[in-house]
Structure formats: structure tokens, C-alpha cells
Amino acid sequence: MADPEVTIKNCVMMLQHLMEDSTIPRNIRRVADDTRKVLMNESETLGLRAATAISIIDEISNDPNMPVHARTRIWELVSQLETIPLD
């Protein structure tokens, strides 16, 4: 099983790529930035950060304006975050 810290860092990098992709609508890039900030907040536990990030991302995952490639990345991101234990 992967180290949760490494998983968080990978997810932050994935969010950074989403934020830099100009083909993705601005509102989705803004949510990606908010999610990145949540994941980088070291005052919270890893599990809480992952759960909060999943909750935020879930809201935009069904946005009809999201390009297909971005939706695939979002699902991949959620899958990685779901591997982090909540305790």
C-alpha cells in the first residue's frame, strides 16, 4: 500500500496540472485550486484532508462543461484519495 503522504503529494501535482490546463473552464480550475489548498493544509489529519477533498471534487465531477479528459483525471484523483485511511 502506498504511503499516504506520497499519495497526497501526487494528488496535489494532479490538481496543479488541472489548474494549468487552459481547456478546462475557470470554475473547475478554481475548485482544483481550493482542493489543492485543502490537501496541503498540514494542520488537519491526512484522512480528513482526503475526505474533504473528495467532497469538494465530487461537487464538480458532474459539471456538464467539464471536458472528458478532465473528468477522467478527476475520477483518477478521487480513486487515489480513497486509498488514504480516515484514521
Side-chain angles (χ1 to χ4, degrees), residues 41-79:
N41 180 4
E42 294 186 5
S43 67
E44 302 290 345
T45 65
L46 290 175
L48 181 59
R49 286 190 266 169
T52 305
I54 290 170
S55 176
I56 293 170
I57 291 171
D58 189 48
E59 292 178 21
I60 63 156
S61 65
N62 295 319
D63 188 321
N65 296 322
M66 185 180 299
V68 175
H69 72 280
R71 190 176 317 275
T72 304
R73 287 186 197 168
I74 292 290
W75 289 338
E76 181 182 349
L77 178 69
V78 169
S79 294

Side-chain angles (χ1 to χ4, degrees), residues 4-63:
E5 285 284 345
V6 173
T7 302
I8 291 284
K9 287 180 182 172
N10 288 338
C11 291
V12 167
M13 287 180 14
M14 290 171 67
L15 287 164
Q16 189 69 38
H17 290 295
L18 284 173
M19 291 167 32
E20 294 169 356
D21 188 342
S22 62
T23 64
I24 297 175
R26 189 176 306 132
N27 66 319
I28 296 170
R29 289 184 301 194
R30 189 176 316 115
V31 170
D33 186 39
D34 293 344
T35 305
R36 184 184 59 82
K37 289 175 185 173
V38 165
L39 289 176
M40 295 176 68
N41 180 4
E42 294 186 5
S43 67
E44 302 290 345
T45 65
L46 290 175
L48 181 59
R49 286 190 266 169
T52 305
I54 290 170
S55 176
I56 293 170
I57 291 171
D58 189 48
E59 292 178 21
I60 63 156
S61 65
N62 295 319
D63 188 321

